[in-house]
Amino acid sequence: MTAQFQAWGMAHDWAWFLATSIGILIIALPLMLAVAMIIYAERKIWAAVALRRGPNVVGPFGLLQSFADGLKVFLKETIIPTSANKGLFLLAPIISFTVALIVWAVVPFDVGVVLADINVGLLYILAASSLGVYGIIIAGWASNSKYPFYSALRGAAQMVSYEVSIGFVLICVVLYAGTFNLTQIVLGQQGHMFGILNGYGFNPLLFPMAVVFMISSMAETFRTPFDLTEAESELVAGFQTEYSSMSFALFWLGEYGNVLLMCALNAILFWGGFLPPLNIDLIPWFDIPGIFWLFLKMLIFFFIFGWVRATVPRYRYDQLMRLGWKVFLPMSLAFIVIISTWLMITRYGN
């Protein structure tokens, strides 16, 4: 796109700036629309599990319910507690929302269809997504209320606990792929299991890590059964207790943006990303745009997220910590050793 603007006589700096701005809008605006629609979809999933109808009044089949809720929140008054730190109180939801957006810069939707195709894309995602906990910590502390503060402490401990295991799972993927570039990681997943299936998840050595990553991604985004930061039976609404209006809505946008990101990462790292599921030419799989396959896999993972939220009860906090430190951490470390040994014997051995 930059070259096209330069061909029209624009200077390189301005052409790059305009092309990058358009790329950001092409990602950010559909993402906001997707957040509205997946909230509707998740409410429909919950309703189906409970044998109810879900949203069905506003618009055809209730499709406009999320937009009505957004308008209602937008028109409400923003209330700041008198004892709160006003600057940090308003900054916290902005941090959560912004961090949820910037991570999408390196997500490949197809070969070459990525805003920034950098060689360390996986490290960028790990670093940028880690910043999201600062929004929760700042919100809990700035509210000057005990329940949000408890929630902030829980969020910090939970994020650290599960990012350790996520980091080791990503090392397993990088060992197999030999690169941190997300596009190359996807392309390296062609032809597993006798050359038929596309995806590291079909590899017996990496399938357990795919399961660990999916469960850890639920914990990373504070989803049920790991939603200890906003446990309504214990902490009212957790770090969001004192928030209202658009500051509250920004937390929701950030949360569901992160959920979509984790669905995309599950698909990209383990299940072939924008590749079709089968690596055969009998069916014209490869004629279908890669972005279709990526979105389809994201929807499957989002259904799993919603299904779990509707059916699995919340963990106790000691169970949450035990799963992260005593199960996932030793397991991911063991698989690093197993995968490294296997690769040394089969790929790098003489």
Side-chain angles (χ1 to χ4, degrees), residues 81 83-90 92 137-145 243:
S83 58
N85 185 315
K86 291 182 175 58
L88 293 178
F89 185 84
L90 295 174
I137 293 172
I138 292 173
W141 185 84
S143 296
N144 199 17
S145 176
Y243 282 89

Side-chain angles (χ1 to χ4, degrees), residues 60-197:
F61 307 105
L63 286 169
L64 300 180
Q65 181 65 56
S66 295
F67 300 98
D69 292 339
L71 179 63
K72 179 183 72 173
V73 170
F74 179 76
L75 295 175
K76 286 183 176 291
E77 180 185 2
T78 300
I79 298 173
I80 302 176
T82 54
S83 58
N85 185 315
K86 291 182 175 58
L88 293 178
F89 185 84
L90 295 174
L91 181 64
I94 296 172
I95 291 175
S96 294
F97 175 69
T98 305
V99 169
L101 283 183
I102 63 174
V103 185
W104 286 89
V106 297
V107 173
F109 298 96
D110 205 338
V111 177
V113 185
V114 55
L115 185 61
D117 193 21
I118 57 178
N119 290 329
V120 290
L122 200 54
L123 288 179
Y124 171 84
I125 284 181
L126 191 62
S129 61
S130 303
L131 299 175
V133 74
Y134 286 104
I136 294 174
I137 293 172
I138 292 173
W141 185 84
S143 296
N144 199 17
S145 176
K146 61 181 179 181
Y147 287 140
F149 189 63
Y150 290 155
S151 173
L153 294 177
R154 285 184 174 188
Q158 183 171 329
M159 183 75 81
V160 170
S161 301
Y162 284 87
E163 278 202 347
V164 174
S165 57
I166 282 180
F168 286 132
V169 169
L170 296 184
I171 289 174
C172 295
V173 174
V174 170
L175 284 172
Y176 234 97
T179 179
F180 285 98
N181 183 282
L182 290 174
T183 303
Q184 295 303 316
I185 288 174
V186 172
L187 295 176
Q189 298 180 48
Q190 282 186 293
H192 282 269
M193 296 299 290
F194 310 108
I196 297 175
L197 302 171

Side-chain angles (χ1 to χ4, degrees), residues 7 11 15 24 35 49 69 96 98 148 183 194 224-225 229 231 275 284 322 344:
I24 291 170
V35 166
V49 171
D69 292 339
S96 294
T98 305
T183 303
F194 310 108
T224 306
T229 57
L275 296 175
R322 179 185 174 277
M344 287 299 296

Side-chain angles (χ1 to χ4, degrees), residues 241-256:
T241 301
E242 305 293 344
Y243 282 89
S244 61
S245 186
M246 283 306 294
S247 55
F248 178 78
L250 286 178
F251 276 124
W252 270 76
L253 289 172
E255 176 185 338
Y256 278 92

